[in-house]
Amino acid sequence: QFEWAWQHPSASHRLLTPPLRRPREQPISFALRLLPRLLRAPPWSRLPLKIRWLRPSRPALELAPPPHVVEEEGAGLPRLKRKKRRGQEVGVATDGCGLCDEVQATPLLRCPRPLCSMAAHPPCLARLFLAPEPRQLLPVGGACP
């Protein structure tokens, strides 16, 4: 949906007032001018998207992307999926959620800080992180409880 809206900004309903292409503006320049506006429009304004610039000379954008969008440089290496070894279970914890204290089949998310042992279900963390923004569907971030 994002690509289609990016390629057809005037036909997309995501931008209330899509910018017009300037006279003699190159298509890539127009696309780069449109990119931050699309990233700030719902539904993409809250998704953890990444912009990867393949060339080291990063173009200057007219408007900065939202703060939660990560910008990277370089082609990068493809991520390889880890293979599950025989007899090894996938991340289902035996202890309960740190927020609801229930044990469910849902894998728990663990705090990335090494000394923190907090683990919680994704829906429990989402409810906590979305408490200040009850009208949103996806949390952008939050502090470990």
Side-chain angles (χ1 to χ4, degrees), residues 90-98 104 106-122 125 129 142-145:
V90 180
V92 178
T94 56
D95 47 343
C97 172
Q104 298 175 359
T106 308
L108 300 177
L109 295 178
R110 303 209 177 276
C111 181
R113 293 180 295 170
L115 299 177
C116 183
S117 61
M118 175 64 186
H121 299 114
L125 281 174
F129 294 164
C144 177

Side-chain angles (χ1 to χ4, degrees), residues 6-130:
W6 199 12
Q7 293 170 1
H8 306 92
S10 57
S12 174
H13 298 287
R14 299 298 180 190
L15 293 175
L16 297 175
T17 56
L20 299 174
R21 195 164 155 200
R22 296 174 183 153
R24 289 179 266 166
E25 184 177 27
Q26 296 293 323
I28 189 69
S29 299
F30 176 66
L32 290 174
R33 194 163 53 90
L34 183 64
L35 177 65
R37 287 177 173 81
L38 271 176
L39 289 171
R40 290 177 180 275
W44 307 293
S45 61
R46 299 189 58 84
L47 296 179
L49 300 175
K50 290 183 182 182
I51 299 174
R52 182 179 294 270
W53 301 105
L54 298 178
R55 294 186 180 169
S57 57
R58 170 190 301 198
L61 298 175
E62 187 177 289
L63 181 66
H68 68 278
V69 174
V70 178
E71 291 188 73
E72 299 176 343
E73 288 186 7
L77 299 173
R79 290 186 179 176
L80 301 176
K81 292 182 180 178
R82 285 192 223 168
K83 292 185 179 178
K84 188 170 67 171
R85 294 183 192 155
R86 237 178 226 197
Q88 181 182 12
E89 296 214 8
V90 180
V92 178
T94 56
D95 47 343
C97 172
L99 297 175
C100 72
D101 291 326
E102 291 184 19
V103 179
Q104 298 175 359
T106 308
L108 300 177
L109 295 178
R110 303 209 177 276
C111 181
R113 293 180 295 170
L115 299 177
C116 183
S117 61
M118 175 64 186
H121 299 114
C124 297
L125 281 174
R127 275 191 295 278
L128 176 71
F129 294 164
L130 288 174

